[in-house]
């Protein structure tokens, strides 16, 4: 099983060299290095690594905090790996999802996180009930009075919260939208985005459009991505989709593209549901002739 390493440092003053050497000593055939804050989930190198990892591969880090600073983010990454049939290992922590002990440790961490969330919910309910029994009414007084300034602050806070949630998932969809729009129709972009994602994290077209419009409004994406897609010949559609998958990960194998197309429920040029590498190779050759690669 190929081992793929990920090394991260927070500032330019730090060097990822010790992590890279440890990962190479552990047998990693590739090591990806990134300089980014651990609290930032939208890391371009990490997004590339998660796209690169395939079935049977193992993502390796020196310590858990090099990958994620929160338990929720760690579990989210591992869930993405499991959806692709891949594994996770930390050299200095007792986590290796390819082993029964590592899976057990992960289950304990997940149970602890759920228990903590349950405690927070119970404490919140108890606090609200106690306040009501003493005659105190919850909520913002300015909102109850419909004060314009209070309403404006709430709208801004909600927008900030929405943008923060989008930033956590940006690695899933922003690179595809930036690369494929407006040349490709939203329906096909959506299927390419959802292909590698677990079912509970897949996008609807309305949610994706709202997210893209928010990023365009804040200048994170060019306005051109919202332009109308041009008409594409029916025979060019499949080569465009295969080219998009290949463009997102130049190292992806023909079989991995087959798996992605099947997960997207794309039918072969002959209308079949099962894809073969030879069909993908043919479409890639056509995409190259069309200038899509």
């Amino acid at each position: 099983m190929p081992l793929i390493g990920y090394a991260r440092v927070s500032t330019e003053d730090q060097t990822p060299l010790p992590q890279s050497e440890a990962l190479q000593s552990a047998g990693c055939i590739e090591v990806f290095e990134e300089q980014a804050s651990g609290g930032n989930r939208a890391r371009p190198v990490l997004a590339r690594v998660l796209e690169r990892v395939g079935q049977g591969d193992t993502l390796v880090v020196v310590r858990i905090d090099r990958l994620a600073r929160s338990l929720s983010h760690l579990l989210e990454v591992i869930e993405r790996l499991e959806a692709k049939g891949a594994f996770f290992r930390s050299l200095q922590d007792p986590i290796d999802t390819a082993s029964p002990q590592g899976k057990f440790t992960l289950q304990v961490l997940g149970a602890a996180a759920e228990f903590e969330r349950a405690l927070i919910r119970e404490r919140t309910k108890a606090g609200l009930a106690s306040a009501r029994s003493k005659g105190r009414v919850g909520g913002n007084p300015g909102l109850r009075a419909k004060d314009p300034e209070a309403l404006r602050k709430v709208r801004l806070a909600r927008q900030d919260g929405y943008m923060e949630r989008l930033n956590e998932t940006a690695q899933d969809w922003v690179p595809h939208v930036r690369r494929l729009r407006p040349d490709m129709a939203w329906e096909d972009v959506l299927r390419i985005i959802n292909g590698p994602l677990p079912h509970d994290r897949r996008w609807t077209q309305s949610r994706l459009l709202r997210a893209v419009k928010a990023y365009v409004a804040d200048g994170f994406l060019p306005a051109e991505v919202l332009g109308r897609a041009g008409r594409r010949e029916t025979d060019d559609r499949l080569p465009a989709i295969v080219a998009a998958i290949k463009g997102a990960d130049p190292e992806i194998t023909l079989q991995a593209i087959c798996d992605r197309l099947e997960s997207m429920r794309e039918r072969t040029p002959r209308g079949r549901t099962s894809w073969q590498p030879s069909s993908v190779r043919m479409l890639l050759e056509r995409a190259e002739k069309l200038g899509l690669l």
Side-chain angles (χ1 to χ4, degrees):
M1 295 185 295
L3 305 181
I4 299 173
Y6 174 73
R8 181 189 63 80
V9 293
S10 299
T11 66
E12 294 181 354
D13 297 332
Q14 299 172 316
T15 173
L17 183 59
Q19 295 179 53
S20 297
E21 290 178 344
L23 292 168
Q24 288 170 356
S25 299
C28 292
I29 59 173
E30 292 181 89
V31 175
F32 294 81
E33 298 178 351
E34 183 161 39
Q35 188 265 305
S37 168
N40 179 15
R41 297 192 182 190
R43 295 178 233 152
V45 176
L46 178 58
R48 211 158 55 240
V49 173
L50 294 177
E51 185 70 22
R52 161 71 178 81
V53 171
Q55 186 172 1
D57 293 347
T58 299
L59 175 62
V60 185
V61 296
V62 173
R63 297 191 311 275
I64 289 177
D65 65 351
R66 297 302 86 198
L67 177 68
R69 285 289 180 85
S70 68
L71 180 58
S72 63
H73 188 205
L74 173 64
L75 295 175
E76 175 186 317
V77 171
I78 293 176
E79 181 180 298
R80 289 189 64 181
L81 293 172
E82 289 182 339
K84 300 180 73 172
F87 306 100
F88 171 72
R89 180 188 304 172
S90 173
L91 298 181
Q92 297 183 13
D93 302 290
I95 295 184
D96 181 352
T97 59
S99 70
Q101 296 87 348
K103 287 184 178 179
F104 175 73
T105 302
L106 190 61
Q107 289 170 354
V108 171
L109 288 174
E114 179 58 34
F115 180 63
E116 182 181 4
R117 288 192 292 269
L119 287 178
I120 292 173
R121 286 195 297 268
E122 290 302 319
R123 284 197 293 266
T124 301
K125 290 179 182 178
L128 291 174
S130 175
R132 283 194 293 269
S133 68
K134 296 176 182 177
R136 293 201 296 270
V137 180
N140 188 318
L143 292 181
R144 292 200 299 272
K146 296 185 177 180
D147 177 66
E149 181 61 20
L151 293 171
R152 186 184 72 84
K153 288 181 178 179
V154 168
R155 283 196 299 270
L156 290 175
R158 287 177 177 172
Q159 179 65 15
D160 287 344
Y162 175 62
M163 293 302 292
E164 184 176 343
R165 293 193 299 275
L166 284 185
N167 291 339
E168 293 176 355
T169 62
Q171 62 189 17
D172 294 339
W173 56 277
V174 169
H176 294 294
V177 171
R178 190 186 301 276
R179 196 164 43 83
L180 303 177
R181 289 290 304 166
D183 296 328
M184 185 173 287
W186 283 112
E187 293 84 355
D188 293 329
V189 174
L190 182 69
R191 296 166 79 179
I192 291 171
I193 291 172
N194 284 337
L197 298 179
H199 286 283
D200 59 346
R201 290 184 50 211
R202 291 186 175 179
W203 294 76
T204 63
Q205 187 166 322
S206 59
R207 280 186 58 225
L208 179 62
L209 282 172
R210 182 189 174 197
V212 171
K213 288 177 181 177
Y215 261 44
V216 168
D218 274 14
F220 295 141
L221 283 171
E224 290 76 13
V225 300
L226 292 173
R228 185 172 181 176
R231 294 178 63 89
R232 185 179 294 278
E233 296 295 332
T234 304
D235 291 344
D236 293 351
R237 181 177 169 276
L238 279 176
I241 291 175
V242 172
I245 295 173
K246 180 73 172 178
D249 180 7
E251 302 301 322
I252 193 170
T253 64
L254 294 176
Q255 184 57 55
I257 296 178
C258 290
D259 296 339
R260 183 73 59 79
L261 291 169
E262 289 177 5
S263 71
M264 293 166 57
R265 300 182 184 276
E266 280 290 346
R267 290 186 175 271
T268 69
R270 295 186 178 183
R272 297 172 181 169
T273 58
S274 179
W275 282 82
Q276 299 297 324
S278 57
S279 298
V280 172
R281 185 183 297 107
M282 177 190 68
L283 289 174
L284 286 173
E285 291 172 354
R286 178 165 175 74
E288 192 168 359
K289 290 179 181 177
L290 293 170
L292 302 174
L293 284 174

